[in-house]
């Protein structure tokens, strides 16, 4: 029955695609070298999610198309299974496996990956339960043997190689106005004609390696060859003329019937008389290694070179006088041309110019911006767009919004306005496919013909745009904090992680047993931008922060086209207590309280310092006043006149202490210190020990109490008092600087001047002259 259905499917595909199909059967033998735990295999089954299961003499084996994984009974797993020799398996109605062993039949739970109870014989139905051969859902045939597992796959290539082009480099392609396809192959120097179904009509030996074929509006056919030859002929190839010895890579015709040529060694050339008996080409208009020419709708010309692009306005009256200028990459400008190695050019119906570079993707710019003084290019590549690869050999507009990009081993259909790409990898065309540089042809049915290094390939529009088989996409396993793979925990669409589970590796796989070698994957988190397409089947989430994440994975089909098989998983990471919202609020409140406390303490300290400073100032003022209470002190100045300081009454500290928060004991202490300073202010032998003795305390206590009350040490207090008195005398008497220094306890006049300047910012002499 399965074989009949498979035959019907193949015949249906042949009918749908007009026989433009290349198929082959491939056989693969999996053994222990591929990961099987034993080559002796006795049973096969397919799980509902697509995974293949095999019974071996060394346990159960599950296969996802990439990797075999062995499952055995383990000590302490609670199973009654006595050994791991499996003689058959079968899927029951619940989706679990019945495993036949020498000691009976046991149930294997595919959700928990555990062996469970033994199944009694009366619970088994009669019939052939233990199959050794099975067709999977893709019609691959699996046979288990004593030498491994044999798989036979039917490989379908939607592309068909045109007859007589196999293993021949094909670059020159042209769709003629009469609907015939002209295909030129290099090695045999032959030109072949086909109809739109790919049927060979005729072939002609032209004795040249044709690189480009072009049909002009008057029906002439121009063939550019390498090494240098430019041939003009008719469609029947009965009349030929060699018009040039240049190596011609591309030919275009302007609105006035003039032909423009991309000469690889000769630059850009124009022929103003293509219908003449002996047409002539102009001298080079500029450039070297020119491979492609684009004539725009606004009468401009663009040419691709290895040094950038040549641009200019066509001189309508004298095209041979057209001026071209070179635009090259500027490494300092982010919007400059992305690469100088330009290989192909196209323009869409909106006036946008597409510039394909060989290895750096495509640049897009409007024609007006390109011809302006400061063109800014938009870069389209695998890093900035949905394009899976950056390598380009040719580009071709297939519609007003869709650009065909030919890579080394893939073809992409790309819409730059929606940033959506459809990729066709080598397995869509031919496993040994490497494309040539020539532009592909777009057929009336939206199919294509593209040249490769080993022949010309044709694909129908139905095959290009119809949806193929969608491979099921599964979450395979999870690995937490570098631990072992867990195949059970992942079997859900939501996952909760504890506070310690911060590093997670998720593995996934797309099930395609026919051919999964070219399947690509991409991922995204919380609806963000998709990651770059790759063959990696793991998503690493390291050093996660608490929260809820929605993960999405998607794969291509075997041909490289993205399909609708997105799988989602919601992961919730539990926070530590200090990562919760209420902990944040508490920490915020604690911070506010702490900040308020620090502010209050700072204000208090400032006030305390201010109080000490004010008390010190008052204290110094009292000493300064009281040291002059001995009556009029006469002293003869330098002129012989008497100078005097008026007598004032002694002012006790208690008169000012009431303004400050100090105790009576502290007042008495400060009065003793004041009396000592007043009596010894002019005594150069005065010292801290004597001051402490006079105040009836120790030196350390003296310093500590003065620091606490006035904010200064005893020595600093003595110095400040002497300097304040010196300033008073210098300002209010006729004493000389020397006399003032002696009167204030300084024997060294230079030391006095240095200390005075440090205190008041000016010399004593400067004070006396004010």
């Amino acid at each position: 029955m399965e074989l009949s259905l498979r035959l019907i499917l193949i015949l249906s595909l042949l009918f749908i695609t007009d026989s433009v199909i290349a198929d082959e059967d491939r056989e693969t033998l999996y053994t222990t070298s591929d990961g099987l735990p034993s080559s002796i295999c006795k049973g096969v089954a397919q799980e509902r999610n697509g995974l293949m299961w095999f019974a071996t003499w060394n346990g159960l084996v599950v296969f996802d198309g990439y990797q075999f994984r062995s499952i055995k009974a383990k000590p302490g797993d609670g199973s009654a299974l006595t050994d791991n020799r499996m003689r058959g398996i079968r899927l029951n109605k619940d989706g679990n496996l019945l495993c036949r062993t020498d000691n009976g039949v046991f149930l294997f739970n595919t959700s928990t990956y555990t062996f469970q109870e033994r199944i009694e014989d009366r619970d088994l139905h009669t019939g052939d339960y233990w199959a050794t051969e099975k067709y999977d859902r893709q019609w691959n045939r699996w046979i288990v043997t004593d030498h491994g597992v044999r798989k036979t796959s039917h490989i379908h290539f939607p592309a068909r190689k045109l007859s007589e082009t196999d293993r021949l480099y094909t670059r020159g392609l042209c769709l003629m106005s009469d609907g015939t396809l002209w295909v030129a192959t290099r090695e045999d120097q032959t030109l072949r004609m086909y109809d739109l179904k790919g049927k060979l009509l005729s072939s002609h030996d032209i004795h040249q390696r044709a690189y480009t074929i072009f049909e002009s509006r008057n029906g002439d056919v121009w063939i550019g060859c390498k090494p240098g030859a430019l041939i003009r002929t008719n469609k029947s190839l009965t009349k030929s003329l060699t018009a040039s010895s240049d190596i011609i890579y591309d030919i275009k015709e302007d609105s006035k019937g003039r032909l423009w040529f991309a000469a690889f060694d000769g630059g850009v050339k124009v022929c103003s008389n293509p219908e003449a008996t002996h047409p002539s080409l102009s001298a080079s208009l500029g450039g070297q290694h020119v491979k492609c020419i684009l004539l725009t709708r606004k009468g401009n010309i663009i040419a691709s070179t290895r040094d950038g692009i040549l641009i200019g306005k066509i001189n309508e009256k004298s095209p041979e006088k057209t001026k071209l200028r070179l635009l090259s990459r500027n490494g300092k400008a982010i919007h400059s041309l992305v690469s100088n190695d330009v290989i192909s050019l196209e323009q869409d119906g909106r006036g946008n110019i597409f510039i394909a570079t060989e290895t750096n993707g495509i640049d897009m710019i409007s024609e007006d911006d390109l011809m302006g003084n400061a063109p800014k290019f938009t870069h389209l590549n695998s890093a900035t767009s949905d394009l899976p690869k950056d390598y380009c050999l040719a580009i071709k507009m297939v519609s007003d919004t869709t650009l065909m990009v030919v890579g080394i081993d893939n073809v992409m259909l790309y819409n730059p306005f929606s940033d959506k790409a459809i990729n066709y990898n080598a397995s869509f065309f031919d496993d040994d496919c490497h494309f040539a540089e020539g532009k592909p042809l777009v057929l009336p049915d939206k199919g294509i013909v593209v040249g490769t290094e080993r022949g010309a390939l044709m694909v129908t529009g139905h095959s290009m745009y119809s949806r193929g088989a969608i491979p099921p996409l599964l979450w395979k396993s999870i690995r937490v904090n570098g631990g072992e793979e867990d195949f059970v925990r992942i079997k859900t669409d939501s996952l909760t992680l504890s506070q310690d589970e911060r590093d997670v590796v998720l593995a996934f796989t797309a099930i395609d047993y026919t051919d999964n070698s070219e399947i690509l994957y991409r991922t995204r988190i919380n609806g963000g931008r998709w990651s770059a397409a790759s063959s990696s089947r793991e998503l690493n989430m390291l050093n996660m922060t608490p929260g809820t994440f929605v993960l999405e994975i998607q794969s291509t089909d075997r041909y490289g086209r993205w399909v609708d098989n997105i799988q989602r998983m919601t992961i919730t990471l539990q926070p530590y207590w200090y990562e919760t919202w209420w902990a944040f609020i508490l920490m915020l409140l604690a911070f506010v309280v702490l900040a308020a406390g620090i502010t209050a303490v700072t204000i208090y300290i400032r006030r305390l310092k201010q109080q000490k400073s004010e008390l010190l100032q008052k204290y110094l003022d009292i000493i300064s006043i009281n040291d002059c209470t001995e009556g009029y002190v006469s002293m003869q100045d330098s002129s012989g006149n008497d100078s005097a300081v008026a007598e004032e009454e002694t002012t006790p500290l208690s008169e000012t202490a009431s303004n400050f928060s100090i105790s009576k004991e502290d007042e008495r202490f400060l009065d003793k210190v004041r009396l000592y300073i007043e009596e010894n202010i002019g005594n150069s032998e005065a010292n801290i020990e004597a001051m402490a003795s006079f105040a009836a305390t120790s030196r350390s206590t003296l310093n500590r109490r003065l620091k606490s009350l006035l904010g200064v040490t005893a020595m600093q207090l003595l110095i400040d008092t002497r300097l304040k008195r010196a300033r008073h005398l210098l300002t209010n008497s006729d004493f000389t600087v020397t006399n003032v220094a002696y009167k204030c306890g300084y024997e060294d006049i230079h030391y006095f001047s240095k200390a005075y300047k440090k205190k008041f910012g000016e010399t004593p002499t400067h004070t006396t002259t004010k």
Side-chain angles (χ1 to χ4, degrees):
M1 179 66 179
E2 289 179 335
L3 183 61
S4 300
L5 291 173
R6 179 169 176 259
L7 183 60
I8 292 172
L9 177 64
I10 295 172
L11 291 175
S12 300
L13 290 172
L14 289 171
F15 175 76
I16 291 172
T17 55
D18 293 326
S19 301
V20 187
I21 294 178
D23 291 348
E24 64 179 67
D25 287 334
R26 293 181 185 173
E27 188 172 285
T28 305
L29 178 64
Y30 298 103
T31 65
T32 53
S33 62
D34 300 300
L36 280 173
S38 172
S39 292
I40 302 177
C41 301
K42 295 297 183 180
V44 57
Q46 185 172 26
E47 196 178 343
R48 291 171 181 172
N49 60 12
L51 293 173
M52 296 299 299
W53 291 83
F54 303 98
T56 77
W57 277 22
N58 192 12
L60 274 179
V61 176
V62 61
F63 184 49
D64 63 359
Y66 296 95
Q67 185 179 19
F68 291 96
R69 179 174 179 267
S70 177
I71 301 172
K72 304 178 183 180
K74 297 180 180 179
D77 63 2
S79 170
L81 193 66
T82 58
D83 60 63
N84 291 298
R85 178 176 290 189
M86 303 290 169
R87 294 193 174 275
I89 54 174
R90 175 179 173 82
L91 200 70
N92 71 3
K93 63 181 181 179
D94 297 323
N96 298 315
L97 292 174
L98 302 178
C99 305
R100 185 164 66 91
T101 72
D102 292 335
N103 298 311
V105 177
F106 292 84
L107 179 70
F108 178 80
N109 191 313
T110 55
S111 296
T112 62
Y113 275 37
T114 56
F115 291 97
Q116 297 182 347
E117 70 274 10
R118 186 176 185 274
I119 306 299
E120 300 297 332
D121 292 342
R122 64 176 180 272
D123 296 328
L124 296 174
H125 299 285
T126 59
D128 184 14
Y129 281 85
W130 318 110
T132 58
E133 177 180 342
K134 182 174 182 60
Y135 285 93
D136 65 27
R137 298 187 187 106
Q138 296 172 285
W139 300 102
N140 299 293
R141 185 186 184 192
W142 301 84
I143 301 176
V144 292
T145 71
D146 290 344
H147 305 287
V149 176
R150 180 174 287 107
K151 180 188 72 173
T152 303
S153 299
H154 183 77
I155 307 298
H156 168 61
F157 296 104
R160 178 177 67 117
K161 191 169 291 185
L162 294 180
S163 61
E164 295 189 5
T165 65
D166 188 30
R167 302 183 182 277
L168 298 177
Y169 189 99
T170 306
R171 189 185 189 282
L173 303 170
C174 186
L175 177 59
M176 296 296 177
S177 57
D178 60 2
T180 58
L181 301 174
W182 286 37
V183 178
T185 51
R186 187 175 66 184
E187 286 78 3
D188 60 354
Q189 300 182 3
T190 300
L191 193 62
R192 295 176 176 85
M193 290 75 173
Y194 300 84
D195 64 14
L196 293 178
K197 299 293 185 180
K199 179 182 178 181
L200 179 64
L201 302 176
S202 62
S203 60
H204 305 270
D205 188 352
I206 60 174
H207 305 289
Q208 292 286 349
R209 297 177 179 178
Y211 266 57
T212 184
I213 306 170
F214 179 79
E215 180 187 14
S216 63
R217 286 197 293 268
N218 67 353
D220 287 340
V221 178
W222 294 77
I223 305 173
C225 304
K226 182 180 179 181
L230 176 60
I231 301 172
R232 186 185 68 182
T233 184
N234 54 19
K235 291 182 181 178
S236 61
L237 297 179
T238 57
K239 297 179 181 180
S240 297
L241 171 70
T242 301
S244 172
S245 60
D246 289 300
I247 301 174
I248 303 298
Y249 269 70
D250 194 20
I251 306 171
K252 292 294 188 298
E253 185 176 20
D254 65 21
S255 59
K256 295 188 177 181
R258 298 167 300 200
L259 297 182
W260 297 79
F261 299 92
F264 189 72
D265 292 327
V268 178
K269 295 187 176 183
V270 62
C271 177
S272 299
N273 57 343
E275 298 182 18
T277 304
H278 298 286
S280 59
L281 274 63
S282 70
S284 176
L285 302 180
Q288 283 287 327
H289 305 130
V290 181
K291 289 188 174 183
C292 183
I293 287 178
L294 175 65
L295 303 180
T296 71
R297 295 178 179 85
K298 295 185 177 181
N300 297 306
I301 180 172
I302 308 170
S304 67
T305 77
R306 289 182 179 175
D307 302 313
I309 57 174
L310 292 169
I311 63 173
K313 181 72 174 179
I314 296 176
N315 189 320
E316 295 295 341
K317 294 182 178 181
S318 302
E320 64 279 357
K321 295 181 180 181
T322 297
K323 303 296 183 182
L324 302 178
R325 61 186 176 97
L326 182 67
L327 282 181
S328 300
R329 179 181 181 271
N330 180 359
K332 297 181 180 180
I334 191 172
H335 293 294
S336 78
L337 197 66
V338 72
S339 171
N340 284 341
D341 195 1
V342 179
I343 199 166
S344 191
L345 303 164
E346 278 290 299
Q347 183 177 28
D348 66 13
R350 305 181 186 186
N352 295 300
I353 307 295
F354 296 93
I355 302 164
T357 65
E358 189 164 6
T359 58
N360 291 84
I362 300 169
D363 279 345
M364 181 176 75
I365 189 172
S366 71
E367 183 176 354
D368 292 337
D369 287 344
L370 178 63
M371 305 308 294
N373 294 325
K376 292 184 177 181
F377 298 89
T378 299
H379 308 309
L380 306 172
N381 51 51
S382 58
T384 62
S385 71
D386 198 38
L387 286 171
K389 297 183 179 181
D390 294 335
Y391 208 105
C392 300
L393 293 176
I395 55 176
K396 174 75 173 180
M397 294 301 305
V398 297
S399 72
D400 193 42
T401 58
T402 304
L403 185 70
M404 180 180 293
V405 184
V406 179
I408 294 179
D409 57 0
N410 69 313
V411 171
M412 298 164 277
L413 295 180
Y414 178 62
N415 186 327
F417 307 103
S418 64
D419 191 31
K420 299 295 183 182
I422 302 174
N423 182 55
Y424 302 85
N425 56 36
S427 59
F428 184 84
F429 298 94
D430 186 345
D431 276 347
D432 192 26
C433 176
H434 289 83
F435 293 105
E437 289 184 1
K439 283 183 179 286
L441 300 179
V442 179
L443 303 178
D445 71 342
K446 297 185 179 180
I448 64 170
V449 177
V450 60
T452 76
E453 296 178 0
R454 300 172 65 85
L457 297 173
M458 173 182 280
V459 185
T460 66
H462 174 81
S463 297
M464 285 289 294
Y465 296 98
S466 62
R467 175 177 293 183
I470 299 178
L473 188 55
L474 310 177
W475 295 102
K476 179 183 174 184
S477 66
I478 182 173
R479 192 165 61 248
V480 178
N481 294 344
E484 295 184 356
E485 282 189 293
D486 189 332
F487 294 85
V488 177
R489 193 176 179 185
I490 201 69
K491 290 180 174 290
T492 178
D493 57 1
S494 62
L495 183 65
T496 300
L497 302 175
S498 67
Q499 299 93 327
D500 297 327
E501 296 177 323
R502 298 296 175 109
D503 295 339
V504 175
V505 179
L506 298 166
F508 42 84
T509 184
I511 304 297
D512 190 328
Y513 297 113
T514 302
D515 182 10
N516 59 12
S517 60
E518 297 289 340
I519 290 180
L520 299 176
Y521 300 86
R522 62 183 180 182
T523 62
R524 68 178 178 183
I525 300 176
N526 293 337
R529 184 178 179 85
W530 286 104
S531 65
S534 74
S535 58
S536 173
R537 293 174 286 116
E538 286 188 345
L539 174 61
N540 293 276
M541 302 180 68
L542 306 179
N543 196 24
M544 296 172 60
T545 56
T548 299
F549 308 89
V550 178
L551 312 182
E552 293 178 287
I553 56 175
Q554 186 181 20
S555 82
T556 66
D557 60 14
R558 74 186 67 156
Y559 302 129
R561 301 175 294 188
W562 296 112
V563 292
D564 187 16
N565 63 352
I566 294 176
Q567 291 294 314
R568 295 176 178 84
M569 176 178 289
T570 302
I571 293 184
T572 301
L573 175 60
Q574 299 291 339
Y576 288 106
W577 68 268
Y578 54 80
E579 294 175 316
T580 59
W581 65 268
W582 54 266
F584 175 78
I585 296 297
L586 288 178
M587 287 188 287
L588 181 62
L589 290 175
F591 174 79
V592 171
V593 171
L594 180 61
I598 293 174
T599 302
V601 170
T602 302
I603 293 174
Y604 172 76
I605 292 174
R606 287 179 179 176
R607 288 178 178 175
L608 188 61
K609 286 183 178 180
Q610 183 180 4
Q611 179 178 327
K612 290 179 180 181
S613 177
E614 292 175 355
L615 181 59
L616 175 62
Q617 189 62 42
K618 292 291 184 182
Y619 192 70
L620 293 175
D621 290 342
I622 292 172
I623 295 174
S624 179
I625 295 172
N626 291 343
D627 69 359
C628 302
T629 59
E630 298 177 357
Y632 287 97
V633 181
S634 299
M635 183 173 286
Q636 197 175 51
D637 60 15
S638 58
S639 62
N641 300 320
D642 289 336
S643 299
V645 178
E647 181 180 4
E648 299 182 21
E649 295 183 359
T650 301
T651 305
L653 180 64
S654 58
E655 293 185 8
T656 59
S658 59
N659 297 326
F660 304 96
S661 299
I662 60 175
S663 65
K664 295 295 183 180
E665 182 182 353
D666 289 336
E667 286 184 30
R668 289 191 294 270
F669 169 74
L670 290 176
D671 279 338
K672 289 182 180 181
V673 173
R674 175 181 58 79
L675 288 174
Y676 175 82
I677 293 175
E678 289 174 352
E679 292 176 2
N680 294 275
I681 196 168
N683 180 11
S684 62
E685 301 295 329
N687 56 69
I688 305 307
E689 285 77 6
M691 185 187 297
S693 178
F694 188 87
T697 186
S698 65
R699 175 178 178 140
S700 60
T701 303
L702 175 67
N703 279 319
R704 177 176 57 79
R705 294 187 70 178
L706 287 175
K707 189 75 173 176
S708 174
L709 292 170
L710 304 178
V712 295
T713 63
M715 180 57 71
Q716 188 63 47
L717 177 62
L718 181 59
I719 293 172
D720 286 349
T721 304
R722 285 174 168 174
L723 292 175
K724 187 173 181 64
R725 185 191 181 199
R727 188 172 182 84
H728 177 77
L729 293 175
L730 290 171
T731 306
N732 299 286
S733 72
D734 295 330
F735 295 149
T736 65
V737 173
T738 301
N739 290 335
V740 169
Y742 291 150
K743 190 171 180 63
C744 294
Y746 288 93
E747 293 182 349
D748 187 342
I749 187 64
H750 297 292
Y751 179 74
F752 167 70
S753 297
K754 184 178 179 180
Y756 188 91
K757 185 175 182 180
K758 182 178 180 181
K759 175 70 175 177
F760 300 109
E762 61 182 14
T763 63
T765 304
H766 186 268
T767 301
T768 61
T769 59
K770 288 184 178 180

